[in-house]
Amino acid sequence: MSPHAIGAGVYDAFFAALSHADEDAAIRIATGLADAGVPVPDLLSLLVAPAQRQVGAYWADNSWNVAREHAATHISTQVVAALGVRLRTPDPPRGRVVMACVDGDWHALAAQIAAETLRAEGWAVTTLGASTPAGHMAHFVHEVGPDAAGLSCMVPSNLPQARSMIEAVRHTGVPVLAGGPGFGPDGRWAQRLGADVWVPGPAAAVERLSCGWPAFTDPAPPLDHLTDDEHERLGAERTVLVGRAMSVLIGAREAAGYSQRQLERTAEDLAHIVDFLIAALLVDDVTLLESFTRWLAKILRPRGVPREALATGYEILGADLTAYPRARDMLARAGALLATAPSRT
């Protein structure tokens, strides 16, 4: 997992600093490389980003708990800030970008890395941070008048909010540059929801902004791929639906003996399932829910939640969706994956 351009030993030392919550050591390693002449964009893409992916992998397989993951993520954020201090935006800059995470998305590190990469390449960047409300971002963009509005979405369940932000920002005439895995493989859901451009990473953002970037955009187009309003109706009923599912699940044998904390976590998982279902309905793509289902089963297994218990949750939710034929079909197709044997790869 160590990036060749940085060196295995340096990468291992950096990750060890994250592992031991040693902020000073992590900053010293990164800034020392910068002082030695390693470009900041390389440090962001070849040191900080892969280390953070490893942090996420350790949390996913339950090797690290939430507190340890949060400590490491905080240090990565501080490292990016320390590297950013070394950058100077030219006067005049190549252009101006306003960067934000979609409303509801608290994974701000990727947006911060993108922002500092753009600054290193001569762009003036204003970062609004995590979970920015659509109306607030649009108002800020209208006041500042940037060349582009960067929108980061790390989790697909936030796609309904992403659509609201794309609509609000494009109404100001500023083109939207979308990024992040939440927009789907190859950014397919970004364009479906009306983003002007999707890029796979910060380096691609620099390249795209530097080559034929539009000076103005029209309002976001309507969602012509939708033939119903199931995603809106289901969103309005989300809390009630989860509550009814929990009432049924408490009486099922799979939940027998659950502690109060386990019941609370189960309710959270059911809410996440509904959120991803709503997003899948919005983009009309069952693969969104299927991918989430595989991921959820994978991370719950080391936490002691069997696939059978998860499958029961899908069945209970599905039985309550008689007024939502498209949602019920998607949930059934995704739930069927839980009946298959888990991959050994």
Side-chain angles (χ1 to χ4, degrees), residues 62 258 262 299-306 309:
N62 209 29
Y258 272 24
Q262 286 174 311
I299 69 162
L300 288 182
R301 186 165 61 247
R303 291 164 172 78
V305 180

Side-chain angles (χ1 to χ4, degrees), residues 138-151:
H139 183 74
F140 187 86
V141 166
H142 178 71
E143 288 186 331
V144 173
D147 298 280
L151 195 58

Side-chain angles (χ1 to χ4, degrees), residues 156 159 181 183-185 188-189 192 276-277 279-281 283-295 314 329-331 333-334 337:
L159 286 177
F183 284 113
R188 63 188 61 170
W189 303 321
R192 177 160 287 194
F276 276 83
L277 174 58
L281 291 168
V283 296
D284 194 26
D285 190 346
V286 70
T287 65
L288 187 158
L289 185 62
E290 290 174 336
S291 296
F292 167 72
T293 301
R294 294 188 187 95
W295 175 84
Y314 274 63
D329 177 68
M330 284 190 177
L331 198 64
R333 290 174 62 179
L337 299 173

Side-chain angles (χ1 to χ4, degrees), residues 127-285:
T127 306
L128 304 184
S131 190
T132 304
H136 292 234
M137 182 177 183
H139 183 74
F140 187 86
V141 166
H142 178 71
E143 288 186 331
V144 173
D147 298 280
L151 195 58
S152 174
C153 181
M154 299 300 291
V155 185
S157 58
N158 291 313
L159 286 177
Q161 296 94 309
R163 169 61 181 181
S164 296
M165 294 184 79
I166 290 168
E167 285 184 301
V169 172
R170 285 192 57 166
H171 190 70
T172 70
V174 175
V176 174
L177 177 71
F183 284 113
D186 303 321
R188 63 188 61 170
W189 303 321
Q191 295 190 2
R192 177 160 287 194
L193 295 181
D196 292 275
V197 176
W198 176 86
V199 290
V206 172
E207 181 178 357
R208 185 63 185 83
L209 285 169
S210 304
C211 181
W213 184 254
F216 182 84
T217 192
D218 295 321
L223 302 179
D224 291 334
H225 64 276
L226 290 180
T227 59
D228 59 52
D229 62 348
E230 283 196 21
H231 69 284
E232 294 180 348
R233 292 190 291 118
L234 195 59
E237 198 180 354
R238 171 185 181 272
T239 302
V240 174
L241 182 66
V242 171
R244 288 200 298 256
M246 280 300 299
S247 297
V248 176
L249 187 62
I250 289 172
R253 63 180 176 82
E254 283 83 0
Y258 272 24
S259 66
Q260 181 60 36
R261 179 55 181 157
Q262 286 174 311
L263 289 173
E264 291 171 357
R265 294 301 298 270
T266 299
E268 292 172 1
D269 291 337
L270 290 174
H272 286 315
I273 294 167
V274 174
D275 288 339
F276 276 83
L277 174 58
I278 292 169
L281 291 168
L282 172 64
V283 296
D284 194 26
D285 190 346

Side-chain angles (χ1 to χ4, degrees), residues 91-139:
D91 186 15
R94 296 174 67 179
R96 181 175 296 276
V97 178
V98 172
M99 182 80 63
C101 299
V102 301
D103 194 3
D105 194 331
W106 295 94
H107 301 83
L109 182 58
Q112 185 183 5
I113 289 174
E116 297 303 343
T117 300
L118 287 168
R119 287 215 306 131
E121 298 295 340
W123 294 79
V125 184
T126 302
T127 306
L128 304 184
S131 190
T132 304
H136 292 234
M137 182 177 183
H139 183 74

